[in-house]
Amino acid sequence: MRSSGVRDVSVKEAASWLGVSERRVQALIEADRLSARRVGRSWLIPIAELPRARYRSRPLSPRMAQALLDSLSGIPVSVSASERARLQGRLDALLQEGDPASLLRSWLAAAAPPIRRFLVAPADLQDLSDDSRVVPAGFSDSRSGIAVVGEFEGWVAADSLEGLQQQFLLIESSQSNVFLHVAPELPASPLPLGWVLADLSAHGGPRESAAVRRLLAEQVIDQVLTGPSKRQSGATTGSAPPEGTGEARAAKTQAAAAKHAMRAAKAEVAAKRAHERAKAARSQARKAERAAAKARVDGAQGADVT
């Protein structure tokens, strides 16, 4: 779980954020080019001190970035045939990519609203997250499945920010526990899934990246199960493409890829649950062994007394 106060990341998370190796991060710390503090045998790096993440690809134009976000949210888009082909190619690339969060972070760099970091009294954090002027986002969106303690991430309209600052005594600080994406208008609640994916991708951590993979697979599976890309194209009428056409083959390929992603996501969840069950079983076995040993000692002591 995250701790309140300064958001620190491990060397591994910093390497993922920067797009470099863990050894490179260690070298930057040793050369005093990256601020960090040692806790035990590990280094912790304030996330606010990290340089901008290296892009894997050129950012999309704001228009195409919005089209991608709408498609990921299941919202119809209106683009030309050539743009639709490029958009489908990017959706396919996300589905097949081992780390889709890094691609999204690069593609959406020019579209993301500015984020402001604040410090608020822990006692006021819940009231702030429940305020109607704020929409939970990123790791604070329940769909992320990430357990967070002492921090909140949300979206707020620009004209509401000052009122929130005054009511909750929000102090802009690098030692932040509130992360607000400031947009011209307050988005719908819950936040469209595309933006949840974008916000999680921006963090660059392994838990956020895992959540992006899971949510992306679930969304593509849902689109395949509900039929051809009617919602993406914005068409109101139409039928499935004829068998043997390029469109039909593409649809079959997408469906097969979605099924593969679903199986991978289920396998990941099953492996995690199996690990937790094995861990619990080992703990119970150790308790039983200790109880048996104690019983033997008590029995021996009783025999000595008699």
Side-chain angles (χ1 to χ4, degrees):
M1 289 186 180
R2 302 175 189 270
S3 59
S4 59
V6 178
R7 292 188 68 228
D8 294 327
V9 295
S10 66
V11 169
K12 182 177 181 179
E13 290 174 313
S16 174
W17 178 280
L18 296 170
V20 298
S21 68
E22 294 180 40
R23 181 173 295 181
R24 177 58 178 163
V25 173
Q26 292 279 10
L28 291 172
I29 293 173
E30 293 169 2
D32 291 328
R33 293 176 59 189
L34 190 61
S35 175
R37 61 189 179 91
R38 184 179 287 278
V39 177
R41 300 177 61 183
S42 303
W43 285 103
L44 292 179
I45 302 139
I47 198 168
E49 299 297 324
L50 288 177
R52 193 179 189 87
R54 187 177 69 183
Y55 292 151
R56 287 185 53 189
S57 177
R58 291 179 58 185
L60 300 179
S61 68
R63 179 170 174 272
M64 287 305 295
Q66 187 61 56
L68 177 63
L69 289 164
D70 286 344
S71 294
L72 292 171
S73 303
I75 299 172
V77 297
S78 178
V79 293
S80 67
S82 60
E83 289 174 328
R84 186 176 307 285
R86 291 196 297 271
L87 182 60
Q88 186 60 55
R90 291 191 173 95
L91 292 171
D92 292 342
L94 285 175
L95 183 62
Q96 298 167 14
E97 170 64 38
D99 182 18
S102 63
L103 271 182
L104 275 177
R105 186 164 61 242
S106 298
W107 287 343
L108 303 177
I115 184 169
R116 303 275 294 275
R117 293 168 168 81
F118 298 95
L119 182 64
V120 69
D124 293 331
L125 195 60
Q126 186 60 52
D127 290 338
L128 173 63
S129 64
D130 292 338
D131 195 286
S132 61
R133 292 168 291 181
V134 178
V135 175
F139 59 74
S140 293
D141 188 287
S142 60
R143 289 167 289 182
S144 73
I146 301 175
V148 180
V149 174
E151 294 183 6
F152 175 74
E153 181 177 3
W155 279 53
V156 60
D159 57 6
S160 298
L161 181 57
E162 184 176 353
L164 287 168
Q165 288 181 267
Q166 293 175 354
Q167 180 175 344
F168 294 100
L169 301 179
L170 297 175
I171 301 172
E172 206 148 9
S173 170
S174 60
Q175 299 185 3
S176 48
N177 58 356
V178 173
F179 308 87
L180 296 179
H181 303 262
V182 184
E185 297 180 356
L186 187 67
S189 181
L191 192 67
L193 181 62
W195 278 114
V196 175
L197 293 168
D199 295 342
L200 289 169
S201 298
H203 287 287
R207 288 173 296 183
E208 290 87 352
S209 295
V212 169
R213 285 197 304 272
R214 175 179 56 81
L215 290 171
L216 180 62
E218 291 174 354
Q219 176 66 352
V220 173
I221 290 163
D222 175 66
Q223 290 182 2
V224 170
L225 293 179
T226 53
S229 54
K230 182 182 292 184
R231 288 182 297 172
Q232 292 183 3
S233 66
T236 56
T237 61
S239 57
E243 288 291 333
T245 65
E247 187 178 354
R249 288 193 296 271
K252 287 183 178 180
T253 300
Q254 183 181 6
K259 289 180 180 179
H260 176 74
M262 179 172 61
R263 288 194 295 270
K266 287 182 177 180
E268 184 177 353
V269 172
K272 183 177 180 181
R273 289 177 178 173
H275 175 74
E276 292 173 350
R277 288 195 297 269
K279 184 177 179 181
R282 289 193 298 269
S283 177
Q284 291 295 329
R286 287 193 295 269
K287 288 181 180 178
E289 290 175 0
R290 288 194 294 267
K294 185 177 184 302
R296 288 195 297 269
V297 170
D298 292 344
Q301 289 176 347
D304 291 341
V305 169
T306 57

